[in-house]
């Protein structure tokens, strides 16, 4: 079958003006090359190996925000297209939330895990990010925590959270500390 190609932001989250992030394209494939687009604009990718390409945004401006996606080419033919990745550049005005994990960072497969994102700000919603996921927003926040039931090895990875005000104009926090969850 055709190769599948993924695009994700590392580290994930809304980035502030002047901040930095990396757009990663990965593919279970070889011998081809990646092309990165922002809308209809084709961008040069400096860092590229057979199965991975990285495009760094440093000293971000509002113009860096937008929709990005990758194509994987071989001999000029597009073999695969990624999903779209939305990059947001916004002022981060809220305090930084704290992410903790209960019962702990290392758990056995099948366990229930709670990820708690706490922020010193009323009326906020928070997003939980898992690095490497295209869909960064995994859960909307309820009561300040996220429950992962019957975790599997695929739930392992680097989590972080980011919060925003629900009322009026949306103000964002910085991204929390990261938590590495290991499922055995």
């Amino acid at each position: 079958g055709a190769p599948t190609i993924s695009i994700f932001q590392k580290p994930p989250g809304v980035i502030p003006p002047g901040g930095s992030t990396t757009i990663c394209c990965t593919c279970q494939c070889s011998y081809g090359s990646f092309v990165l687009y922002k809308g209809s604009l084709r961008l040069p990718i400096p860092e590229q190996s057979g199965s991975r390409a990285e495009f760094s945004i440093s000293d971000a401006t509002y113009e860096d925000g937008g929709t990005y996606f990758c194509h994987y080419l071989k001999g000029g033919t597009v073999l695969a297209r990624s999903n779209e990745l939305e990059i947001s550049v916004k002022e981060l005005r809220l305090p930084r939330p704290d992410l903790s994990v209960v019962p702990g960072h290392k758990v056995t497969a099948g366990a229930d895990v709670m990820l708690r994102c706490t922020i010193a700000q009323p009326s906020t919603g928070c997003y939980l990010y898992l690095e490497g996921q295209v869909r960064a927003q995994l859960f909307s926040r309820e009561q300040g925590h996220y429950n992962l039931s019957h975790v599997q090895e695929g739930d392992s990875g680097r989590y972080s959270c980011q919060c925003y005000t629900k009322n009026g104009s949306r103000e964002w926090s910085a991204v929390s500390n990261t938590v590495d969850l290991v499922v055995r």
Side-chain angles (χ1 to χ4, degrees):
T4 57
I5 170 174
S6 296
I7 185 170
F8 61 92
Q9 181 189 353
K10 189 178 96 177
V14 175
I15 48 177
S20 59
T21 194
T22 299
I23 297 170
C24 304
C25 303
T26 62
C27 183
Q28 302 297 341
C29 39
S30 49
Y31 311 119
S33 60
F34 291 94
V35 178
L36 179 68
Y37 289 91
K38 179 189 174 197
S40 58
L41 181 70
R42 184 171 168 161
L43 300 172
I45 302 183
E47 299 289 317
Q48 188 161 158
S49 69
S51 61
R52 187 181 183 101
E54 298 195 342
F55 179 85
S56 292
I57 296 173
S58 55
D59 202 12
T61 66
Y62 294 111
E63 283 73 52
D64 288 314
T67 304
Y68 292 78
F69 56 92
C70 313
H71 286 179
Y72 193 75
L73 277 69
K74 192 170 178 181
T77 306
V78 177
L79 298 183
R81 296 175 168 84
S82 74
N83 290 333
E84 295 187 338
L85 173 69
E86 202 62 46
I87 298 282
S88 293
V89 180
K90 308 219 187 286
E91 292 281 353
L92 304 181
R93 297 196 171 99
L94 303 187
R96 182 176 167 170
D98 182 62
L99 183 64
S100 57
V101 59
V102 180
H105 296 257
K106 294 183 178 165
V107 294
T108 320
D112 291 341
V113 171
M114 186 169 75
L115 291 151
R116 191 181 282 141
C117 184
T118 51
I119 183 167
Q121 182 83 17
S123 309
T124 52
C126 300
Y127 284 123
L128 183 67
Y129 302 126
L130 173 56
E131 191 169 284
Q133 289 259 353
V134 187
R135 305 280 331 148
Q137 292 105 329
L138 293 180
F139 306 95
S140 266
R141 186 169 90 142
E142 290 166 31
Q143 292 83 47
H145 59 260
Y146 310 88
N147 291 309
L148 296 177
S149 304
H150 309 299
V151 291
Q152 303 303 322
E153 279 182 39
D155 294 311
S156 294
R158 176 159 291 179
Y159 289 86
S160 56
C161 67
Q162 188 170 28
C163 304
Y164 60 91
T165 51
K166 285 178 167 172
N167 45 11
S169 62
R170 189 169 276 205
E171 302 267 313
W172 286 88
S173 75
V175 178
S176 72
N177 54 305
T178 58
V179 165
D180 290 314
L181 181 66
V182 181
V183 181
R184 312 201 151 147

